[in-house]
């Protein structure tokens, strides 16, 4: 419980939860038809199905997690995104673009950075897999992911928004390339 000052000067007790900052990454595999990163027509997203004991089920998600160091970060959001992408999928990205950020809610102080990862590659180094995370990496066609997001089939709606935004931008790029 924190003491907070309202705009009118009154001080009240307010329950607020502090969470460490995090990152979420939407990885996009493309076939390189138009160079390293094409217009996205033939690409797939790398999505994850992960078992969550708290829910007692497998849930669709995108790679992500907390920034190392907790409330005293020892890495940038971009470094954390690259690390989480590799830990959860086995891929790294030549390009990580910050898509948007969220800043919690009225009762939760939390900062999350959302990245689009492109120009993916599999490095030769050995990756450390957390044996307590049960993750299945799934390549999903761009349009199927878009339809699932539009139909609210993913548990996380911010993740759905990210897919819709990415696909819309890729479609706009296709229109631009055809002109």
């Amino acid at each position: 419980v924190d003491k907070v000052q309202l705009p009118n000067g009154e001080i009240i007790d307010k329950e607020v939860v502090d969470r460490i900052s995090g990152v979420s990454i939407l990885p996009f595999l493309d076939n390189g038809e138009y160079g390293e990163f094409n217009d996205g027509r033939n690409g797939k997203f790398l999505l994850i199905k992960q078992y969550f004991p708290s829910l007692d089920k497998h849930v669709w998600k995108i790679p992500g997690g907390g920034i190392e160091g907790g409330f005293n970060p020892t890495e940038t959001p971009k470094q954390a995104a690259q690390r989480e992408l590799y830990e959860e999928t086995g891929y790294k990205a030549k390009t990580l673009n910050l898509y948007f950020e969220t800043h919690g809610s009225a009762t939760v102080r939390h900062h999350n950075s959302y990245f689009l990862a492109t120009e993916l590659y599999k490095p030769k180094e050995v990756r450390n897999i957390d044996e307590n995370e049960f993750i299945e990496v799934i390549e999903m066609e761009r349009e199927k992911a878009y339809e699932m997001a539009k139909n609210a089939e993913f548990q996380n709606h911010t993740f759905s928004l990210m897919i819709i935004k990415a696909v819309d931008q890729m479609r706009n790029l296709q229109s631009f390339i055809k002109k």
Side-chain angles (χ1 to χ4, degrees), residues 77-170:
K78 196 170 200 172
Q79 290 168 330
Q82 190 73 267
R83 178 183 49 76
E84 287 289 345
L85 175 64
Y86 184 57
E87 286 176 4
E88 295 189 2
T89 68
Y91 284 89
K92 286 191 176 184
K94 289 182 183 176
T95 304
L96 274 170
N97 289 317
L98 180 63
Y99 239 37
F100 57 87
E101 298 174 296
T102 57
H103 299 278
S105 67
T107 57
V108 179
R109 280 189 288 246
H110 175 69
H111 177 264
N112 205 69
S113 300
Y114 293 83
F115 292 88
L116 178 66
T118 57
E119 300 180 76
L120 303 181
Y121 66 97
K122 286 195 172 198
K124 294 182 176 155
E125 65 208 51
V126 177
R127 83 183 216 251
N128 296 323
I129 299 172
D130 186 343
E131 51 189 55
N132 295 320
E133 286 186 321
F134 298 93
I135 293 174
E136 180 183 2
V137 179
I138 297 168
E139 293 181 15
M140 185 178 289
E141 295 291 336
R142 179 189 87 166
E143 293 302 321
K144 180 177 180 186
Y146 184 83
E147 287 303 314
M148 288 177 71
K150 233 176 54 176
N151 294 325
E153 294 179 44
F154 298 119
Q155 183 137 355
N156 184 314
H157 299 300
T158 307
F159 155 37
S160 294
L161 171 66
M162 192 169 188
I163 288 175
I164 291 168
K165 182 177 176 176
V167 172
D168 283 345
Q169 286 181 336
M170 289 172 193

Side-chain angles (χ1 to χ4, degrees), residues 20-21 66-76 80 83-84 87:
I20 63 169
S21 294
I67 294 177
E68 293 292 323
F71 294 109
N72 298 302
T74 57
E75 62 184 353
T76 66
R83 178 183 49 76
E84 287 289 345
E87 286 176 4

Side-chain angles (χ1 to χ4, degrees), residues 10 14-15 28 51 58 66 79 103 114 145 150 168 178:
E10 182 182 355
K14 183 74 176 171
E15 186 173 317
F28 184 70
Y51 179 75
H58 288 83
Q79 290 168 330
H103 299 278
Y114 293 83
K150 233 176 54 176
D168 283 345
K178 288 179 185 174

